[in-house]
Amino acid sequence: MTTTHAWPHLFHEGAADTPVLLLLHGTGGTEHDLLPLAERLAPGAGYLAPRGPVREHGMNRWFRRFGEGVFDVDDVVLRAGELAAFIGWAREHYALGDRRLIAVGFSNGANIALATALLHPGMVADAVAFSGMYPLEGRSIDTDLSGSSIALFNGSADAMAPLDSAVRVGSILESRGAEVRRNVREGGHGIHPTEVDGAAAWITSLTRKVTHD
């Protein structure tokens, strides 16, 4: 189990009137991987970028798996809880107050973002998932997600995150009350420049909506 205060991570406060982006790297990545995305997604925003706590053949991951696309769901649940606890610690430690936190994950990072959004919406209510899929196979979801907003970005020919699984996670999120934006492009696994533009526009609309409300 990862101790929250000892979890390797990077933090940048950003402007007080901006959201904080929770940057969650993919398999084999580090806390530095998604930093170039932060300014493109939300100029001036803060960021919190932890490192995945699980090791697979020397690579950083967010949870264990039995094989490609076959997740250890018990470990997914455990690690989502740990990430939620880390977010709670970071909010207090960095005096984030009520600043909006938006998870931004790629691949394995998208999957842990979705798992945490599904299981702990009080900690992750908003998320951008690039090349993600449903991470909680065989588990029933009974959380109230009526305050959650999730943007899914997937490739139609992604062998690592099959589109049917991405469609399923969107449907489950919606069934629990979340507002879901689905975005499907041609191609496979990765983050396409058009998706970055789409995610930036979505984040802008999300933060403006709160301001106007």
Side-chain angles (χ1 to χ4, degrees):
M1 180 173 287
T2 304
T3 304
T4 51
H5 68 273
W7 201 325
H9 66 279
L10 302 172
F11 174 73
H12 171 65
E13 183 177 11
D17 60 346
T18 64
V20 175
L21 304 182
L22 176 68
L23 303 176
L24 304 169
H25 63 76
T27 298
T30 72
E31 59 271 32
H32 296 272
D33 277 25
L34 298 187
L35 296 187
L37 276 183
E39 187 64 19
R40 295 167 64 190
L41 291 175
Y47 61 73
L48 178 65
R51 182 189 307 167
V54 173
R55 301 292 175 270
E56 179 184 88
H57 307 301
M59 299 184 297
N60 298 317
R61 279 181 56 82
W62 293 99
F63 52 80
R64 294 195 298 264
R65 60 181 171 180
F66 300 120
E68 188 68 56
V70 183
F71 304 149
D72 181 341
V73 178
D74 287 339
D75 199 56
V76 176
V77 173
L78 171 68
R79 303 300 178 175
E82 289 183 356
L83 182 59
F86 170 76
I87 295 167
W89 169 84
R91 273 201 177 278
E92 181 176 353
H93 182 74
Y94 292 115
L96 297 180
D98 59 356
R99 283 180 68 182
R100 190 171 204 136
L101 182 139
I102 303 173
V104 178
F106 167 61
S107 191
N108 186 235
N111 296 337
I112 195 64
L114 291 168
T116 309
L118 285 160
L119 297 173
H120 304 280
M123 288 300 175
V124 174
D126 307 307
V128 175
F130 294 108
S131 293
M133 57 188 288
Y134 185 56
L136 296 166
E137 192 67 42
R139 301 299 172 97
S140 59
I141 303 299
D142 57 6
T143 43
D144 178 7
L145 305 181
S146 56
S148 297
S149 296
I150 311 293
L152 305 174
F153 293 86
N154 292 89
S156 60
D158 189 344
M160 296 179 67
L163 187 57
D164 60 347
S165 185
V167 170
R168 185 178 179 202
V169 72
S171 297
I172 291 171
L173 286 161
E174 288 175 333
S175 75
R176 301 308 308 165
E179 182 178 307
V180 179
R181 175 176 171 181
R182 303 166 187 258
N183 307 267
V184 180
R185 57 167 171 79
E186 294 184 357
H189 210 65
I191 302 177
H192 192 274
T194 59
E195 294 179 315
V196 177
D197 293 341
W202 180 81
I203 289 172
T204 297
S205 67
L206 197 65
T207 53
R208 282 180 178 170
K209 179 180 178 182
V210 171
T211 301
H212 294 327
D213 288 350

